[in-house]
Amino acid sequence: MHERKTVLEGLVDDGGISVGHNNEVRLEMLALPENVGLARVSIAAFASQIDFSMGEVEEIKVAVSEAVSNAVIHAYPQGGWVKISARLTGRLLEVEVKDTGKGIEDVSQAREPSFSTEPGRMGLGFVFMESFMDGMDIQSIPGRGTTVRMWKECRPVEGSND
Amino acid sequence: MHERKTVLEGLVDDGGISVGHNNEVRLEMLALPENVGLARVSIAAFASQIDFSMGEVEEIKVAVSEAVSNAVIHAYPQGGWVKISARLTGRLLEVEVKDTGKGIEDVSQAREPSFSTEPGRMGLGFVFMESFMDGMDIQSIPGRGTTVRMWKECRPVEGSND
Amino acid sequence: MQLDHEIVAGNLVFRVQGELDLNTAERFRLYVDDAMDRHRCYQAVLNLRKVTFVDSSGLGAIIGRYRRIAQRQGTISIVSPPPHVLSVLELSGIKKIIPVYSSEQKALAPEARMA
Amino acid sequence: MQLDHEIVAGNLVFRVQGELDLNTAERFRLYVDDAMDRHRCYQAVLNLRKVTFVDSSGLGAIIGRYRRIAQRQGTISIVSPPPHVLSVLELSGIKKIIPVYSSEQKALAPEARMA
Ligand SMILES: Nc1ncnc2c1ncn2[C@@H]1O[C@H](COP(=O)(O)OP(=O)(O)O)[C@@H](O)[C@H]1O
Ligand SMILES: Nc1ncnc2c1ncn2[C@@H]1O[C@H](COP(=O)(O)OP(=O)(O)O)[C@@H](O)[C@H]1O
């Protein structure tokens, strides 16, 4: 299902620096629903600099979307700023999504599938972040804000597609 | 040539908030060639929140690409950070691209078509920024850095496509 | 996101295009509920073939429609989710409560509507 | 950016896909120059139909090929630029020095190669 996209198509390949490299980008945006897509697209473009498969880039998009949506919905009922930073170190992508909003009282409860403090929401945000990335770490202080850190490694392609 | 993309297709339209709204995003990235595309894509996604035509979004992409490429090539021969900020105020998009690099000795000379200090470059960067946006303003201090500000208004669609 | 609907053999077929996320979920909800109420038809088929992105906010909107339709003794099915959308449906468990078909024809076949 | 080439009627036809900007201009240059030198053929046709973006760095790479080919008494033409690429070609004045055709056939026609 995850076709690698940087197999030398024809002769020369493109944009993706397959060997892994170091890079960093920071993004600050108003916590608005219409900015969730912007965050997703930007981090996907960043991740595409190394040879993540198309399926993996889709997974990264979901994870980023969940983290930023949470900041919009839960952290800032009155609005605020979300900071996203992303780093590539060799073949490792790290993404941090940070707000200075409401914070989470009980982080381990929040991570449970189906747990949500908001009626009508699915309680799957953290589940998706964990499933679609290699790992996730949540730092939160009630009244001070939340920082979600996630990472995913870009594994070398073995033979055909995985 | 510029088809508007938010004509109610079928029944409901989408993402674009046609009436104009206020929003802001800031982007900081390492001055690397591979980040030029990321800047372009992010600002294009941001501009698409109001109903710029597809052709206008392409023009914005070129302008952003030129400004960020200049920071990569001219401002920082040794590398550094580029800051991009974009704001939507009603129907006006403003984009600022800022570096703290080499600076420009003679700004009015730099703006001239075909002027370049770099052999092999076309000297068209500022020309494209000016032509594809509604206006551009350059602040530069040699040894301190350069800030390019550009703006473009999203005009209401009149009848068919323009 | 763009939405479209058509009545086919007594079913409301919704065709969704683009991204189903926090920014578009509410418009999806309003559109689907309004069409069903206006036509008094609670047999829904969601064609997701042209959906480019779904996250848990988008899934929440789909599950919300499922609940509302179930209350009215209706049916709902999903058609042609692209691979990355399918993996989100699977991970969420939605696939266990809403049937997924590979084409509108299959979703509309009398055998399918029995289920 | 992805590149491909083929020899058609004594011409090197290059088909470019994706974005031609600061990040890809150098690879474009290397690929085109290398193919021409290896085949000792300086009759180039650049098919830009699948190009999604060009800015002044991309144009610089095209003009650079034009100059190199001109030194070798060769010819170069551009085929099928999409609307937004065409507007960049027009604004830069490149259209005045490199002929633009709507199809490879037209670029390869004997009349065209006379020009
Ligand atoms: N950035 C945040 N700020 C405050 N609370 C949060 C934040 N992110 C998550 N939470 C809390 O954790 C709960 C679970 O989050 P999640 O798994 O994403 O599900 P959902 O968003 O559907 O509620 C939320 O309901 C909310 O109470
Ligand atoms: N951010 C910058 N920092 C330093 N110098 C710059 C910057 N941007 C532009 N310049 C100067 O202005 C000149 C003209 O720029 P431009 O019109 O973009 O053409 P080009 O990039 O092709 O040289 C450049 O050659 C360079 O000397």
Side-chain angles (χ1 to χ4, degrees):
Chain A
M1 168 186 140
H2 296 174
E3 333 98 76
R4 297 276 160 181
K5 68 175 190 331
T6 45
V7 187
L8 297 184
E9 220 173 294
L11 293 150
V12 178
D13 182 38
D14 77 291
I17 296 157
S18 334
V19 283
H21 70 159
N22 302 328
N23 197 357
E24 199 176 330
V25 63
R26 300 177 198 145
L27 201 57
E28 277 179 54
M29 43 177 67
L30 286 172
L32 297 171
E34 57 264 40
N35 287 345
V36 175
L38 171 63
R40 211 159 54 212
V41 164
S42 303
I43 303 304
F46 184 70
S48 300
Q49 291 181 358
I50 58 175
D51 57 354
F52 279 116
S53 69
M54 266 155 57
E56 284 164 338
V57 171
E58 287 305 322
E59 293 174 341
I60 294 163
K61 278 166 88 170
V62 174
V64 170
S65 200
E66 298 298 345
V68 177
S69 296
N70 277 352
V72 174
I73 305 158
H74 304 297
Y76 295 123
Q78 321 292 336
W81 285 86
V82 192
K83 292 192 189 188
I84 304 160
S85 64
R87 201 195 323 250
L88 283 172
T89 317
R91 304 185 64 81
L92 182 71
L93 170 74
E94 289 167 279
V95 182
E96 195 183 273
V97 178
K98 192 188 178 90
D99 66 63
T100 54
K102 206 165 68 178
I104 302 174
E105 293 288 343
D106 183 340
V107 168
S108 58
Q109 186 185 43
R111 291 179 81 135
E112 276 168 27
S114 302
F115 177 84
S116 179
T117 51
E118 202 69 39
R121 296 216 29 102
M122 303 199 65
L124 285 179
F126 285 133
V127 176
F128 280 10
M129 291 180 236
E130 255 196 292
S131 314
F132 287 144
M133 302 293 281
D134 289 348
M136 174 186 71
D137 168 88
I138 306 168
Q139 302 289 332
S140 190
I141 304 174
R144 298 283 293 277
T146 302
T147 301
V148 177
R149 223 171 50 81
M150 309 177 274
W151 54 94
K152 193 179 185 83
E153 212 192 303
C154 176
R155 287 172 200 84
V157 202
E158 309 138 26
S160 67
N161 36 8
D162 48 3
Chain B
M1 165 187 142
H2 297 174
E3 335 96 73
R4 297 279 160 180
K5 69 174 190 331
T6 45
V7 186
L8 297 184
E9 218 172 297
L11 294 149
V12 178
D13 182 39
D14 79 289
I17 295 156
S18 335
V19 283
H21 72 158
N22 302 329
N23 197 356
E24 199 175 329
V25 64
R26 298 175 200 148
L27 202 56
E28 277 180 53
M29 43 178 68
L30 286 172
L32 297 171
E34 57 265 39
N35 287 344
V36 175
L38 172 63
R40 209 158 57 210
V41 164
S42 303
I43 303 303
F46 184 71
S48 301
Q49 291 182 358
I50 59 173
D51 56 355
F52 279 115
S53 68
M54 267 155 59
E56 284 164 338
V57 172
E58 287 304 321
E59 293 176 342
I60 293 163
K61 278 165 89 171
V62 174
V64 170
S65 201
E66 299 297 346
V68 177
S69 295
N70 277 352
V72 174
I73 306 158
H74 304 298
Y76 295 122
Q78 321 292 337
W81 285 85
V82 192
K83 292 191 189 189
I84 304 161
S85 65
R87 201 196 324 250
L88 283 172
T89 318
R91 305 186 62 83
L92 183 71
L93 170 74
E94 290 168 278
V95 182
E96 196 183 272
V97 178
K98 192 188 178 91
D99 66 65
T100 53
K102 206 166 70 178
I104 302 174
E105 293 287 343
D106 183 341
V107 168
S108 58
Q109 186 186 44
R111 292 178 81 136
E112 277 169 26
S114 301
F115 177 83
S116 179
T117 51
E118 203 68 39
R121 297 218 26 103
M122 301 198 67
L124 285 179
F126 285 134
V127 175
F128 280 11
M129 292 180 236
E130 256 197 292
S131 314
F132 288 144
M133 301 294 279
D134 289 347
M136 175 187 69
D137 168 88
I138 306 168
Q139 301 289 332
S140 191
I141 304 174
R144 299 284 293 278
T146 303
T147 301
V148 176
R149 224 171 50 78
M150 307 178 275
W151 54 93
K152 193 179 185 84
E153 212 191 303
C154 176
R155 288 173 200 84
V157 202
E158 310 138 24
S160 68
N161 38 8
D162 47 2
Chain C
M1 183 198 55
Q2 283 166 354
L3 278 161
D4 204 331
H5 75 276
E6 196 186 336
I7 300 193
V8 184
N11 291 268
L12 263 172
V13 178
F14 294 94
R15 301 194 185 93
V16 195
Q17 243 180 76
E19 310 190 307
L20 202 47
D21 70 353
L22 182 63
N23 193 36
T24 55
E26 180 65 6
R27 251 176 306 129
F28 171 81
R29 181 181 79 70
L30 288 171
Y31 183 91
V32 172
D33 290 358
D34 174 68
M36 291 194 301
D37 291 347
R38 274 191 298 114
H39 293 98
R40 291 175 207 225
C41 171
Y42 299 93
Q43 313 283 103
V45 174
L46 298 181
N47 187 334
L48 304 186
R49 194 169 65 82
K50 293 192 175 165
V51 166
T52 53
F53 180 84
V54 175
D55 62 9
S56 79
S57 303
L59 287 181
I62 295 176
I63 284 284
R65 293 326 96 226
Y66 163 78
R67 294 216 181 96
R68 192 166 181 274
I69 288 167
Q71 278 169 5
R72 289 161 177 76
Q73 275 75 50
T75 60
I76 182 168
S77 61
I78 289 176
V79 161
S80 309
H84 53 275
V85 174
L86 188 64
S87 72
V88 164
L89 295 175
E90 276 165 356
L91 191 59
S92 66
I94 283 192
K95 257 197 82 175
K96 286 182 209 130
I97 57 171
I98 304 182
V100 176
Y101 298 101
S102 58
S103 71
E104 288 184 10
Q105 285 84 334
K106 283 184 187 148
L108 293 166
E111 314 85 75
R113 309 312 291 178
M114 294 285 126
Chain D
M1 183 200 52
Q2 282 165 353
L3 278 161
D4 205 331
H5 76 275
E6 196 186 335
I7 301 193
V8 185
N11 291 267
L12 264 171
V13 178
F14 294 95
R15 300 192 186 93
V16 196
Q17 242 181 76
E19 310 191 306
L20 202 47
D21 70 352
L22 183 63
N23 194 37
T24 55
E26 181 64 5
R27 253 176 305 128
F28 172 80
R29 181 181 79 70
L30 288 172
Y31 183 91
V32 172
D33 290 358
D34 175 67
M36 292 196 300
D37 291 347
R38 275 191 298 114
H39 291 98
R40 291 174 208 228
C41 170
Y42 298 93
Q43 313 283 102
V45 175
L46 297 181
N47 187 335
L48 304 185
R49 192 168 68 82
K50 293 191 175 166
V51 165
T52 53
F53 180 82
V54 175
D55 63 8
S56 77
S57 303
L59 286 181
I62 294 176
I63 283 283
R65 292 327 96 227
Y66 163 78
R67 294 216 180 97
R68 192 167 181 276
I69 288 167
Q71 278 168 6
R72 288 159 177 76
Q73 275 75 49
T75 59
I76 183 169
S77 61
I78 290 175
V79 162
S80 309
H84 53 277
V85 174
L86 189 64
S87 72
V88 164
L89 295 175
E90 276 165 354
L91 191 58
S92 67
I94 283 191
K95 258 198 81 176
K96 288 184 207 126
I97 57 171
I98 303 182
V100 176
Y101 298 100
S102 58
S103 72
E104 288 185 11
Q105 287 85 333
K106 284 186 186 146
L108 294 167
E111 315 86 77
R113 308 313 293 177
M114 294 284 126

